[in-house]
Amino acid sequence: MSEVTKLNNIFQSKKIDKETFNIQIFDNKILMAIVGEFNSHLLELEKLTNTNIFFRGNSITIKGKIDDTKRVFEAIKFLINKFILTNSIENNDIILSVKSGTYEDSKSNIQSLNQLIKTPRRSVMARSEKQAQYIKALKENDITIALGPAGTGKSFLAVSVAITMLMEKKVEKVILSRPAVEAGEKLGFLPGDMKDKVDPYLRPLYDALYDLFGFEKIQKKIDTGQIEIAPLAFMRGRTLKNSFAILDEAQNATSTQIKMFLTRIGENSKLVVNGDPSQIDLINKSNSGLIKSRKILNKIKEIKTIEFDHKDVVRHPLVSKIIQAYQKNIDDKN
């Protein structure tokens, strides 16, 4: 989709006075989705924006400070687009529609719908501006590097785009890789074959796969080799053609290992390197190559780097607060 849906035939809006805004929605199915069961969505919008919202007939009236009423107006536009594209509005969508805190930021949320990812089980959409940039980079760039804290969607979104491209036959194989150790790749200490040894380290990627595409569909593609699980150490010497390869938890890889992974790229392939510099498990943390690689490669235009922060966290709201608290502790020590 190149642009969000045109809404001229779906709703009309007008300013009643300085503190009152009115919206009329002409499609009853969309209207009911926006309002929510027992007006639950409107009540949530009221709470998030410090406004009063009234619903009657096909009319929604918003009362409050001018900036707040504008935020609700943009939020409703966002929700209309979301429903048209996915036929659903979830609780998280209400929060996202007004999340950023300013009218301009709320307005920009609508553009995130341009990066919608449709999977068999549900649609995935950017929940922050950085996530929208990240999805765009995953689709358009040969190599993408993403740095940021836990919960910002680095792995989840990469898997979503990768498997969607596989389903659409834009690539022939998806490869999931990860440094499979706390400090050095000592796979021999784990029982079983190679897959048994590396599976525990790739559990977050499996969770994303099963959540979006279902266990049976993913297991079949693993059995046929269309989805491959490969420890980072096993990537050496390969050339990846018609593939989408993801190196997860790259903060636990050295510069040499990341270089080795990136130089595997072949014809019609995309590579992604994800990591959280604050969660290095190597005994000597200075051996981590993630930040070093970002600095070395930042002038290559075909490589896109996205840096997330606590504002992009999309897990439980406490995750963002925890990340900020730890960061403040580090800053205070310095």
Side-chain angles (χ1 to χ4, degrees):
M1 184 181 66
S2 60
E3 58 180 282
V4 294
T5 308
K6 303 297 183 184
L7 302 179
N8 295 342
N9 298 324
I10 297 172
F11 85 105
Q12 288 182 354
S13 61
K14 62 179 178 179
K15 186 177 181 182
I16 306 299
D17 55 45
K18 189 175 181 180
E19 295 186 341
T20 309
F21 214 91
N22 179 261
I23 298 172
Q24 289 184 302
I25 300 176
F26 305 120
D27 185 307
N28 285 335
K29 190 175 180 182
I30 293 175
L31 177 64
M32 291 300 100
I34 298 298
V35 171
E37 189 175 10
F38 304 115
N39 293 2
S40 58
H41 292 164
L42 297 185
L43 291 171
E44 185 68 14
L45 283 173
E46 279 187 332
K47 184 170 66 175
L48 293 169
T49 59
N50 197 31
T51 58
N52 293 309
I53 304 175
F54 307 92
F55 166 56
R56 185 176 181 180
N58 70 337
S59 179
I60 297 173
T61 302
I62 310 151
K63 291 182 177 290
K65 294 181 180 179
I66 187 168
D67 285 345
D68 292 330
T69 58
K70 284 182 177 178
R71 286 178 64 205
V72 176
F73 171 65
E74 293 298 332
I76 290 175
K77 284 171 60 179
F78 172 88
L79 294 170
I80 291 173
N81 274 294
K82 172 61 165 58
F83 184 80
I84 290 171
L85 290 168
T86 67
N87 204 38
S88 70
I89 293 177
E90 303 170 13
N91 289 337
N92 282 338
D93 297 328
I94 307 299
I95 297 170
L96 174 63
S97 68
V98 294
K99 176 182 176 183
S100 301
T102 68
Y103 160 61
E104 287 301 326
D105 286 340
S106 294
K107 187 176 180 180
S108 71
N109 279 338
I110 294 178
Q111 299 306 316
S112 69
L113 292 170
N114 288 329
Q115 302 304 333
L116 190 75
I117 307 166
K118 293 185 178 181
T119 72
R121 287 197 161 187
R122 62 189 176 94
S123 295
V124 177
M125 55 180 287
R127 297 193 176 275
S128 72
E129 186 177 351
K130 282 286 180 65
Q131 282 199 353
Q133 293 173 9
Y134 181 48
I135 294 171
K136 188 172 186 289
L138 290 170
K139 292 177 178 178
E140 296 180 0
N141 290 82
D142 293 336
I143 294 176
T144 303
I145 298 174
L147 301 87
T152 50
K154 302 183 301 295
S155 302
F156 185 80
L157 293 175
V159 167
S160 301
V161 173
I163 303 299
T164 300
M165 290 185 67
L166 180 64
M167 300 290 188
E168 294 174 351
K169 302 188 184 303
K170 293 179 179 177
V171 296
E172 296 175 358
K173 176 178 284 193
V174 169
I175 300 167
L176 308 178
S177 187
R178 194 173 185 179
V181 290
E182 293 181 358
E185 299 207 0
K186 300 176 182 177
L187 297 177
F189 290 114
L190 294 172
D193 60 19
M194 184 187 74
K195 184 177 182 299
D196 293 330
K197 291 178 180 183
V198 76
D199 273 0
Y201 299 98
L202 291 162
R203 182 50 49 190
L205 298 180
Y206 277 113
D207 290 343
L209 288 169
Y210 297 149
D211 181 32
L212 293 169
F213 300 92
F215 176 83
E216 290 184 3
K217 185 171 287 189
I218 292 302
Q219 197 58 49
K220 183 177 180 181
K221 291 192 177 297
I222 291 174
D223 293 341
T224 60
Q226 290 178 280
I227 298 176
E228 179 184 345
I229 313 300
L232 180 55
F234 285 53
M235 299 294 288
R236 188 175 300 278
R238 300 181 61 180
T239 299
L240 305 179
K241 295 181 179 180
N242 299 309
S243 301
F244 195 121
I246 301 169
L247 173 59
D248 202 37
E249 300 291 349
Q251 74 275 4
N252 292 327
T254 65
S255 293
T256 301
Q257 288 175 316
I258 293 176
K259 176 186 174 184
M260 180 270 291
F261 176 78
L262 293 178
T263 53
R264 301 307 93 200
I265 191 169
E267 183 181 354
N268 189 41
S269 288
K270 290 181 180 291
L271 303 187
V272 182
V273 175
N274 289 330
D276 179 359
S278 70
Q279 293 190 356
I280 299 170
D281 295 320
L282 300 174
I283 295 175
N284 185 348
K285 296 184 184 299
S286 64
N287 286 338
S288 174
L290 183 60
I291 295 178
K292 294 176 185 176
S293 296
R294 177 198 61 185
K295 291 178 179 178
I296 292 169
L297 302 171
N298 66 357
K299 292 184 179 179
I300 300 177
K301 65 179 182 178
E302 292 86 356
I303 299 177
K304 180 69 174 180
T305 300
I306 304 291
E307 297 191 41
F308 295 99
D309 60 30
H310 67 88
K311 291 181 291 186
D312 302 298
V313 171
V314 293
R315 289 182 188 166
H316 194 286
L318 268 178
V319 176
S320 180
K321 294 180 180 180
I322 291 167
I323 291 167
Q324 289 182 75
Y326 273 97
Q327 186 59 51
K328 184 177 185 302
N329 181 62
I330 294 171
D331 294 341
D332 289 345
K333 286 182 178 179
N334 293 336

